[in-house]
Each structure stands twice: as C-alpha cells, then as structure tokens.
Amino acid sequence: QLVEVNGSPCLKLTEDEEKMTIPGTKAIYRLYDAAGHPFMDLMALEEEPSPSAGQELGIHVLGQLGETTKVIPATVEPLHRTYFRDGQV
C-alpha cells in the first residue's frame, strides 16, 4: 500500500475503521509469551522506539480504536528485513 509520497506520509480515508492505514513507513514485530509462543504481530511506525522484552506496551487492537490493551512480551522479533536497497543486495 502507499505509505508516503515525496517523504510525506499518506493516510487512506474510509468510513470503515479497519481499512484505515497508519500513515508513514512501518516496522513489524512478532511478540512471544514466556512459553515461547507467538501471541501478536505488532505494527508500529519506523521512527517509534522498538519494543523490548519485558517492557509493558500499550496497544490498540485493529477495529477497537478507542480501547488500549497492555501486553508484556517475553521476546520480541523484528520481522522486516531489508534484502535489496537501491537495486543492490
């Protein structure tokens, strides 16, 4: 999806809250519980600080924009990796 134009973040406008996008470049993290099981994939803006293991996070669940939920991941794995940049591996 389109996230920015000429360095300026873009927002998709729609009446359906679940289809709205977060403007800007994203970072994706997989959060694991103490037993080592993944329980959530977290999408955040690239410029936001990365989540840390053992750190409480306030999250907004998609479709429940008014509510905040607190989670504490035991392990955090970044899912986005750059393999190609400017046509180079």
Side-chain angles (χ1 to χ4, degrees):
Q1 286 189 355
L2 180 67
V3 294
E4 59 184 39
V5 174
N6 297 327
S8 179
C10 295
L11 174 69
K12 177 182 176 181
L13 297 176
T14 177
E15 291 181 11
D16 187 354
E17 290 179 353
E18 290 187 17
K19 291 185 178 181
M20 288 185 70
T21 58
I22 300 171
T25 305
K26 283 48 151 216
I28 309 296
Y29 305 94
R30 180 153 293 149
L31 308 182
Y32 294 85
D33 62 17
H37 299 105
F39 69 89
M40 170 182 286
D41 287 343
L42 175 70
M43 180 172 47
L45 292 173
E46 192 175 62
E47 63 266 9
E48 292 181 310
S50 302
S52 300
Q55 174 190 11
E56 183 177 84
L57 298 170
I59 60 157
H60 295 279
V61 177
L62 188 64
Q64 300 173 2
L65 297 179
E67 299 177 31
T68 301
T69 303
K70 304 275 187 199
V71 298
I72 301 175
T75 307
V76 177
E77 174 189 10
L79 296 181
H80 181 255
R81 293 176 183 86
T82 302
Y83 291 98
F84 296 94
R85 184 177 304 276
D86 300 325
Q88 301 297 315
V89 176

